[in-house]
Structure formats: C-alpha cells, structure tokens
Amino acid sequence: MLMTIFLACLAWTLMILFCCSIWHTFKVGMQHLRRIHQIPCAGCDYFTNDYRLKCTVNPVKACSEDAIGCMDFEPKTANCNACQQGRRKLF
Ligand code: SF4
C-alpha cells in the first residue's frame, strides 16, 4: 500500500515536471520568435532579396540579430531591389 502511494506521487511529480518543461520551452521559443521579428531587413531598401548578397550596406549582419536597430535602415520603396524579384537576370 505504501509503495503504491509512493509510485503515484512519483508519477504525478514526473507529470508536473514534464508540463513545466513544456511550458518553459514554449516561453523560450516565444521570446526567440519575438526577437527574430524585430529584424528590420525585410522592410529595408538595401535588402536585395538575394541569398548571395542579402544587403549592399551591411552584408555580414543582414538578416541576423545584429541587424536589430541597424543605423542604415531605410524604409522600402517601390523601386528597391527586393521589389524587383521577377525582373532579376538569371544564369
Ligand atoms: S541596411 Fe541594415 S536593416 Fe537594411 S538590409 Fe542592411 S542590415 Fe538590414
């Protein structure tokens, strides 16, 4: 009888720890997602939308967390490179 109670408590403890672990993972994931959505490059005029050279001004930090708060950010205009996806010359 004592063993049954001990095992039941153990099972509930494991279930609670499992739920806490899932909640913690969800919270960390949401924080990371919020941080990633602060990267401004997709709305920037200097963003080329080309994986070979993502940005003509700061190619190293483009599309990374280093680009958050970028001083060279320019709001995208209709004539920017990222808007000319269909007109780009292919090999
Ligand atoms: S200038 Fe800054 S914000 Fe614009 S694409 Fe380059 S790194 Fe991103």
Side-chain angles (χ1 to χ4, degrees):
M1 180 67 183
L2 207 59
M3 188 67 169
T4 306
I5 293 171
F6 172 74
L7 290 176
C9 288
L10 186 68
W12 276 108
T13 304
L14 287 176
M15 283 299 294
I16 290 169
L17 287 176
F18 177 70
C19 290
C20 287
S21 171
I22 288 177
W23 178 249
H24 177 73
T25 303
F26 178 74
K27 266 179 45 180
V28 169
M30 288 302 290
Q31 284 172 351
H32 183 69
L33 212 57
R34 263 189 230 115
R35 181 108 176 116
I36 292 295
H37 276 103
Q38 291 176 345
I39 297 173
C41 297
C44 180
D45 215 357
Y46 299 118
F47 184 62
T48 61
N49 206 18
D50 187 329
Y51 70 93
R52 291 168 288 192
L53 182 66
K54 295 175 191 166
C55 172
T56 51
V57 180
N58 297 308
V60 174
K61 71 178 190 181
C63 297
S64 69
E65 290 187 38
D66 294 338
I68 296 173
C70 178
M71 299 295 286
D72 299 315
F73 175 79
E74 282 290 327
K76 193 187 284 187
T77 60
N79 297 326
C80 70
N81 284 331
C83 300
Q84 300 174 0
Q85 202 170 25
R87 289 180 245 157
R88 187 174 299 133
K89 186 178 177 183
L90 299 175
F91 295 100

